[in-house]
């Protein structure tokens, strides 16, 4: 943990405040620090996670505090990082590996899909895989190829994996601690473009960590999003309000399993829905969300569920990512299509 | 603010040390990425070492003539908490811009 984070936390403890202002980086760093302190079986590792403290400083200071046998660097080999996680989990450890960037997960797909996801099933419950795989995910930081991809649909399709993505520092802190406490493997997708924005991190998780969360209530239409798109949808909701449209923003948070009840409750009320994601359209998670909404709200829906997504192309280089990631106008146009729809 | 230490890298293939010839920056200096920090001499050559990152220099290790081992601290930087990672940039939260306006007759049946 960096000195500044420690100072902020100590100041908060001294004044007995219920929340502190942290960036998502600092919130994740604090969560890892506490997990390592509270669970001697936890080990944290990945490329540059040890001495450097991670390319995004998420593991900053953790090796110095908890030692090189619990927080350490690995070779540049994702198959090895995840393969080692399998062995550690078999031996009773609780690994929290990092794949440095989303696009680096591909070399470890065999370990994730063929071993981690199904070892518990294969062993009739005798070899659980309590692994939390941290993956800095999605685009928005002008990075080169393999540094801006959205793999949620790929992971969500694999039986045995759970997938979660926080959208703000408070959720990042509590969801990481929750994920690490689970007996099942969790893919923890960190929205890297939101690492630096600060937010209040409360001491209480509110008791609602397992499902979706309404981040802005509204009457006319539900925007469903996760990760970095939640902040953008909140901006869109403010702009829509100027035009008299009251938009609800639902942060899905868990992408496997999806909180179908929260979708039914929200869209049951608003009767209109647009799902927004950075990943390409075809076979994206938006299709799954649209089906779940249709299943529960078919009789009352005012229009088919719209999807506003990335395009069916490889994630572009940084200079073009503003053209790829759903922007405010594309989301507003999606809302307009739903508002204009008339039956028959 | 956070501190980031820059240890002396291996400047050749398998070199274990380097000797400081002259510092080109002082504590308190704000430096840019790739700005020359120090002139060093190894058993192979003398060279200028560029900065791996932008930041404020707060400590330098080794006076001219002194030898530093690879992996030992050379420069300590102070950087803002919102410093970008090694790859990419920090996105700015600009005021939202729009061209599309919504128009709808909402039947509230």
């Amino acid at each position: 943990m960096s000195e500044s984070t420690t100072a902020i936390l100590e100041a908060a403890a001294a004044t007995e405040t219920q929340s502190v202002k942290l960036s998502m980086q600092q919130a994740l760093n604090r969560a890892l620090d506490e997990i390592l302190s509270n669970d001697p079986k936890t080990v944290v590792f990945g490329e540059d996670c040890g001495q450097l403290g991670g390319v995004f400083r998420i593991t900053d200071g953790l090796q110095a505090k908890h030692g090189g046998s619990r927080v350490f660097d690995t070779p540049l080999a994702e198959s090895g990082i995840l393969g080692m996680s399998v062995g550690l989990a078999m031996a009773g450890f609780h690994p929290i590996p990092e794949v440095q960037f989303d696009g680096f997960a591909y070399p470890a797909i065999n370990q994730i899909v063929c071993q981690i996801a199904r070892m518990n099933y294969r062993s009739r419950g005798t070899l659980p895989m309590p692994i939390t795989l941290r993956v800095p995910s999605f685009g928005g930081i002008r990075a080169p190829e393999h540094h801006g991809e959205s793999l949620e649909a790929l992971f969500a399709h694999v039986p045995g994996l759970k997938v979660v993505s926080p959208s703000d520092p408070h959720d990042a802190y509590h969801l990481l601690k929750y994920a690490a406490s689970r007996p099942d493997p969790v893919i923890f997708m960190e929205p890297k473009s939101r690492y630096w924005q600060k937010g209040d991190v409360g001491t209480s998780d509110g008791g609602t960590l397992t499902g979706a969360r309404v981040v802005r209530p509204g009457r006319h239409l539900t925007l469903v999003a996760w990760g970095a798109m939640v902040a953008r949808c909140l901006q869109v909701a403010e702009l829509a309000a100027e035009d008299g449209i009251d938009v609800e923003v639902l942060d899905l948070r868990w992408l496997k399993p999806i909180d179908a009840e929260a979708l039914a409750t929200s869209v049951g009320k608003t009767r209109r829905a647009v799902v927004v994601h950075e990943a390409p359209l075809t076979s994206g998670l938006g299709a799954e969300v649209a089906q779940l909404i249709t299943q529960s709200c078919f009789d009352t829906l005012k229009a088919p569920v719209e999807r506003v997504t990335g395009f069916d192309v490889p994630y572009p280089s940084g200079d073009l990512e503003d053209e790829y990631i759903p922007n405010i106008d594309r989301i507003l146009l999606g809302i307009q299509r739903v508002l204009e729809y008339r039956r028959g | 603010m956070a501190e980031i230490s820059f240890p002396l890298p291996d400047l050749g293939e398998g070199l274990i040390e380097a000797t400081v010839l002259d510092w080109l920056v002082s504590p308190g200096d704000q430096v840019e990425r790739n700005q020359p920090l120090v002139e060093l001499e190894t058993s192979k050559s003398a060279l200028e070492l560029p900065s791996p990152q932008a930041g404020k220099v707060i400590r330098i290790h080794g006076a001219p003539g002194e030898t530093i081992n690879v992996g030992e601290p050379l420069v300590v930087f102070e950087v803002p908490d919102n410093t970008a990672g090694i790859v990419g940039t920090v996105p700015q939260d600009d005021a939202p811009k729009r061209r599309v306006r919504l128009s709808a007759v909402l039947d509230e049946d």
Side-chain angles (χ1 to χ4, degrees):
Chain A
M1 186 175 300
S2 73
E3 287 177 23
S4 56
T5 313
T6 310
I8 292 167
L9 293 171
E10 283 172 357
T15 55
E16 291 182 3
T17 50
Q18 292 303 300
S19 74
V20 288
K21 224 171 201 34
L22 297 175
S23 67
M24 190 181 287
Q25 284 177 320
Q26 293 168 329
L28 290 166
N29 181 265
R30 174 184 179 181
L32 285 174
D33 183 31
E34 291 178 12
I35 294 163
L36 283 160
S37 296
N38 297 336
D39 177 8
K41 289 290 189 184
T42 300
V43 280
V44 172
F45 51 93
E47 295 159 8
D48 295 321
C49 284
Q51 190 183 0
L52 183 73
V55 292
F56 292 110
R57 325 295 314 154
I58 309 299
T59 53
D60 189 25
L62 297 181
Q63 187 179 64
K65 180 169 176 181
H66 298 282
S69 62
R70 299 192 62 205
V71 181
F72 51 91
D73 292 314
T74 65
L76 303 185
E78 289 75 14
S79 54
I81 295 171
L82 275 300
M84 183 167 65
S85 300
V86 176
L88 283 165
M90 282 175 154
F93 287 92
H94 302 157
I96 307 183
E98 177 187 289
V99 165
Q100 197 169 66
F101 284 91
D102 35 66
F104 303 178
Y106 299 121
I109 288 293
N110 181 50
Q111 283 70 26
I112 297 171
V113 175
C114 298
Q115 309 299 338
I116 291 173
R118 58 180 76 176
M119 190 63 76
N120 194 41
Y121 175 85
R122 181 189 291 148
S123 67
R124 299 190 184 185
T126 59
L127 289 172
M129 292 279 115
I131 296 167
T132 303
L133 171 58
R134 294 182 39 251
V135 188
S137 292
F138 315 120
I141 66 161
R142 302 268 186 272
E145 191 186 3
H146 294 127
H147 295 67
E149 310 200 1
S150 303
L151 303 182
E152 64 268 30
L154 204 64
F155 291 134
H157 194 61
V158 178
L161 297 180
K162 291 186 166 66
V163 184
V164 67
S165 183
S167 67
D168 64 23
H170 176 86
D171 273 1
Y173 170 78
H174 289 288
L175 286 171
L176 182 55
K177 291 186 74 171
Y178 178 76
S181 74
R182 298 288 86 200
D184 298 318
V186 178
I187 311 295
F188 193 87
M189 301 178 69
E190 300 169 3
K192 64 175 88 79
S193 67
R194 305 299 300 171
Y195 270 150
W196 296 272
Q197 287 80 13
K198 295 198 170 180
D200 288 323
V201 178
T203 50
S204 166
D205 61 28
T208 56
L209 290 176
T210 55
R213 180 170 68 102
V214 175
V215 287
R216 182 191 196 279
R219 290 177 298 136
H220 297 141
L221 181 143
T222 301
L223 278 178
V224 183
W226 51 90
M229 285 297 99
V230 173
R232 182 149 299 171
C233 286
L234 284 169
Q235 290 181 321
V236 169
E238 293 301 315
L239 295 171
E242 295 173 4
D243 302 335
I245 306 300
D246 192 14
V247 170
E248 178 151 309
V249 179
L250 186 69
D251 178 357
L252 212 50
R253 302 203 296 191
W254 288 90
L255 309 174
K256 177 79 170 288
I258 292 177
D259 187 349
E261 199 177 316
L263 289 170
T265 302
S266 177
V267 184
K269 176 182 67 175
T270 62
R271 296 175 296 174
R272 300 174 184 89
V274 176
V275 53
V276 180
H277 60 65
E278 293 184 40
L281 175 74
T282 302
S283 296
L285 218 57
E288 187 70 26
V289 170
Q291 159 59 13
L292 288 169
I293 292 171
T294 306
Q295 191 79 41
S296 59
C297 302
F298 183 69
D299 291 339
T300 53
L301 272 177
K302 292 280 189 183
V305 179
E306 274 287 337
R307 293 177 286 170
V308 180
T309 71
F311 301 105
D312 286 353
V313 298
Y315 192 84
S317 67
D319 290 346
L320 286 170
E321 68 184 355
D322 286 346
E323 312 302 321
Y324 174 90
I325 298 174
N327 61 25
I328 285 171
D329 282 333
R330 280 176 59 204
I331 299 170
L332 285 168
L333 284 170
I335 292 174
Q336 180 66 30
R337 285 195 295 275
V338 169
L339 294 173
E340 282 176 358
Y341 182 85
R342 291 294 179 270
R343 284 177 196 279
Chain B
M1 303 296 270
E3 288 188 8
I4 292 181
S5 178
F6 174 44
L8 179 68
D10 180 355
L11 298 168
E13 288 184 9
L15 295 178
I16 58 167
E17 61 182 22
T19 302
V20 175
L21 293 179
D22 195 14
W23 279 98
L24 306 173
V25 296
S26 307
D29 287 357
Q30 182 72 33
V31 300
E32 298 302 321
R33 190 175 177 198
N34 290 331
Q35 180 178 332
L37 292 174
V38 60
E39 286 177 16
L40 298 168
E41 186 173 42
T42 70
S43 55
K44 287 189 177 175
S45 65
L47 53 85
E48 281 185 355
L49 190 65
S51 179
Q53 63 178 87
K56 182 178 165 184
V57 174
I58 55 174
R59 283 192 293 282
I60 59 177
H61 295 271
E66 284 183 13
T67 297
I68 297 179
N69 293 323
V70 169
E72 286 182 354
L74 183 65
V75 182
V76 177
F77 298 99
E78 184 179 73
V79 297
D81 286 333
N82 65 346
T83 297
I86 288 167
V87 177
T89 59
V90 178
Q92 301 302 308
D93 261 349
D94 297 328
K97 292 192 189 75
R98 71 183 305 183
R99 285 178 297 173
V100 175
R101 287 268 160 197
L102 301 175
S103 61
V105 179
L106 294 168
D107 44 349
E108 300 285 351
D109 55 357

